[in-house]
Amino acid sequence: MSVAFNGMENQVVTFQAGTAETGKPVAMEANNRVKGAPSGIAPVGILLNKRSGHGAVQIKGYVQVPYSGSAAPGLGWTSLVADGSGGMRLAASGETGRTCLVVSLNTADKTMGLFL
């Protein structure tokens, strides 16, 4: 038997989308508007789709994203921030991260599966 997390408690909302790229973390830019999340910022979610200046942003549920940094995030509840390159990394001292449940790591590909 295999495990599957996709679809579990997913929550997707529509924002106006500025300089955001599909599949990457986003942060608030202005009222009702998101942008690509800069390094060190807790993302509001992952941009799933962008069309006509609007984006579908997953703010809750299971996602797979790349990670960066010298150390892989640990499994379990972990404080993460955007890395500024389309992935996420461990929050450094003084940064306010988003607490996520990391359930899988692929250290060869530097990706992780987590619940937002």
Side-chain angles (χ1 to χ4, degrees):
M1 177 178 212
S2 74
V3 297
F5 300 118
N6 291 334
M8 184 170 177
E9 292 191 23
N10 285 358
Q11 188 172 10
V12 178
V13 295
T14 302
F15 287 96
Q16 294 174 341
T19 57
E21 293 182 47
T22 301
K24 298 186 178 182
V26 293
M28 295 305 300
E29 180 175 40
N31 290 338
N32 307 316
R33 185 177 182 83
V34 293
K35 65 178 180 177
S39 183
I41 301 296
V44 296
I46 305 297
L47 183 66
L48 299 179
N49 191 2
K50 184 177 174 184
R51 184 175 63 201
S52 301
H54 289 83
V57 178
Q58 184 174 344
I59 62 171
K60 185 177 177 186
Y62 180 78
V63 296
Q64 289 186 320
V65 296
Y67 70 84
S68 63
S70 57
L75 295 173
W77 293 104
T78 305
S79 183
L80 300 168
V81 294
D83 66 7
S85 299
M88 296 172 77
R89 63 173 173 78
L90 292 169
S93 179
E95 292 178 327
T96 303
R98 179 173 180 160
T99 302
C100 299
L101 177 58
V102 178
V103 296
S104 66
L105 289 171
N106 182 328
T107 55
D109 293 338
K110 293 194 84 167
T111 59
M112 61 183 161
L114 58 93
F115 285 91
L116 296 169

